[in-house]
Amino acid sequence: MTTTSSTTTINTKITPFKSKLSSPLVKQEINILQINLGKRCNLACTHCHVEAGPKRTEELSTEVCQQLIELIYRFPQIQTVDLTGGAPEMNYGFKPLVEAARQKNKQVIVRSNLTIYFADGFSDLPEYFANNQIRIVASMPCYLADNVDKMRGTGVFDDSIKALQWLNKVGYGQNPYLILDLVYNPQLPTNEEFSLTPEQSKLERDYKKFLQENFNIVFNNLFTITNLPVGRTKLHLERKKIHTSYLQFLEFNFNLDTVENLMCRNQLSVDYLGNIYDCDFNQMMNLPAKTHDGEILTVAKLLEAGSLDVIDEIQTANYCYGCTAGCGSSCGGALA
């Protein structure tokens, strides 16, 4: 997509995101449970909004894991259990949650960095994923080695290619029950020449052509995700002194048509402590979900209430412009 300079096209102030909406942003019926199992990860990617890494130790507790399993068992309306991290596979509770969700015939998504399969103790994962028909959403921010290694670390591209080939061997991308999706993130900007993510369907065709022709890799879908100014992305923008101008750029490209399909509408985001948020970005910015009475929620409180649908209005902030700029951005890619 054409690059747009924020310095020449954007107003000098940021409109509060809430003011852009024609009506309050309200929850629909909850059918997705997204669980961040912790911050432990074998990588420390430059754009990571979770700020995960090998030195982080925060992870799910036994108590919260059992509460989440009870939540999965108790509420048939949950259609999808979406496991993220860190590297979710490295954090406590990963396999118990997978198996509880599959026992209840829920779709399970794991947001994988691919390289984890080569870490000690995790070489069983591709076969485990296939046996449990887990949908894999894998980070692949570019199909060129230099760009991937710049964002995610030296050698990550080569390991990612080998991991994708391994997944293909066990049926991913070919068996209709073994879905393999890739995620594109743009490079972090270093100046005020910002750009939106490319058009998703065209970029998907480019990815598929390149990976098939060069590595004989096949996959199902490509999701384009905007870098929200949260976590390490926010720190990077602040270091470059372009955080405010990036927010202004996102506001300038606000698209009201994306709002109806925002991922926060029908999901709950849960942290490793059992606290509830409207989305993973709010989780990282410590903006908790609230009931209409202003009560902050936990998994235990949802179990006590006997309902997942206790949130009326979604909590928003100016970084929400990242999900609503251009074609929009969500855990499932473009929105409009």
Side-chain angles (χ1 to χ4, degrees):
M1 189 168 290
T2 304
T3 299
T4 305
S5 171
S6 64
T7 56
T8 58
T9 60
I10 308 298
N11 294 328
T12 56
K13 293 184 179 180
I14 299 167
T15 307
F17 180 79
K18 208 172 195 178
S19 302
K20 286 280 190 179
L21 305 177
S22 55
S23 60
L25 193 60
V26 296
K27 283 284 193 190
Q28 299 164 346
E29 184 181 58
I30 299 301
N31 55 36
I32 297 175
L33 188 65
Q34 186 175 74
I35 306 168
N36 190 304
L37 279 77
K39 297 181 184 290
R40 191 190 306 274
C41 189
N42 60 313
L43 301 178
C45 301
T46 59
H47 64 298
C48 180
H49 70 281
V50 180
E51 299 183 68
K55 295 181 180 179
R56 303 299 295 263
T57 58
E58 305 96 317
E59 65 178 350
L60 204 66
S61 67
T62 305
E63 180 184 11
V64 174
C65 183
Q66 289 305 311
Q67 290 172 351
L68 286 165
I69 289 171
E70 186 177 349
L71 207 70
I72 290 165
Y73 284 169
R74 192 186 292 187
F75 294 101
Q77 72 191 73
I78 298 173
Q79 298 172 10
T80 300
V81 176
D82 186 343
L83 302 176
T84 184
E89 306 97 324
M90 291 185 75
N91 290 274
Y92 177 81
F94 175 72
K95 287 185 177 180
L97 287 168
V98 166
E99 287 153 24
R102 292 304 297 140
Q103 185 177 342
K104 287 296 183 178
N105 205 30
K106 317 289 188 188
Q107 180 189 55
V108 176
I109 294 174
V110 57
R111 297 192 179 268
S112 182
N113 68 28
L114 297 174
T115 65
I116 186 64
Y117 313 153
F118 304 106
D120 289 345
F122 297 98
S123 60
D124 66 318
L125 286 175
E127 286 79 9
Y128 178 80
F129 291 167
N131 290 340
N132 287 280
Q133 297 183 356
I134 296 173
R135 182 171 188 165
I136 300 172
V137 178
S139 179
M140 191 72 174
C142 187
Y143 52 74
L144 300 176
D146 288 348
N147 288 345
V148 171
D149 286 358
K150 189 182 295 183
M151 292 180 75
R152 306 187 64 214
T154 302
V156 169
F157 179 82
D158 288 343
D159 280 349
S160 298
I161 292 298
K162 286 186 280 187
L164 291 171
Q165 291 170 332
W166 189 352
L167 292 171
N168 281 172
K169 283 181 183 176
V170 298
Y172 274 95
Q174 300 159 92
N175 183 324
Y177 296 103
L178 301 180
I179 304 299
L180 173 60
D181 302 322
L182 303 184
V183 173
Y184 163 88
N185 290 91
Q187 297 287 304
L188 295 180
T190 57
N191 54 45
E192 293 187 340
E193 293 297 315
F194 306 123
S195 60
L196 299 173
T197 55
E199 200 274 316
Q200 184 169 278
S201 60
K202 180 184 182 304
L203 189 61
E204 178 179 292
R205 290 193 295 272
D206 293 342
Y207 262 72
K208 285 185 171 179
K209 184 173 187 292
F210 185 88
L211 292 175
Q212 173 78 60
E213 290 179 353
N214 289 276
F215 303 106
N216 199 30
I217 287 170
V218 294
F219 67 94
N220 295 95
N221 308 288
L222 178 74
F223 300 147
T224 57
I225 297 184
T226 300
N227 291 318
L228 266 70
V230 172
R232 289 199 187 112
T233 295
K234 181 174 185 282
L235 294 172
H236 167 85
L237 295 168
E238 289 174 340
R239 281 196 300 269
K240 297 294 182 181
K241 298 181 169 41
I242 55 174
H243 175 251
T244 299
S245 53
Y246 184 64
L247 275 174
Q248 292 167 343
F249 168 76
L250 294 175
E251 183 197 341
F252 179 78
N253 288 282
F254 173 75
N255 179 1
L256 189 60
D257 291 342
T258 64
V259 173
E260 181 61 29
N261 297 317
L262 286 171
M263 60 186 176
C264 55
R265 304 294 299 273
N266 63 333
Q267 77 165 23
L268 296 178
S269 172
V270 187
D271 71 9
Y272 62 92
L273 296 171
N275 300 308
I276 304 294
Y277 304 82
D278 292 309
C279 73
D280 199 47
F281 298 111
N282 280 0
Q283 182 182 143
M284 297 310 134
M285 295 300 285
N286 197 29
L287 184 61
K290 296 179 181 179
T291 67
H292 65 278
D293 294 326
E295 182 183 9
I296 293 175
L297 291 165
T298 63
V299 176
K301 287 180 180 178
L302 292 176
L303 290 169
E304 184 181 342
S307 174
L308 301 180
D309 300 303
V310 296
I311 301 166
D312 292 334
E313 188 170 344
I314 294 165
Q315 303 298 307
T316 62
N318 285 343
Y319 51 78
C320 299
Y321 283 121
C323 292
T324 54
C327 292
S329 177
S330 75
C331 288
L335 298 172

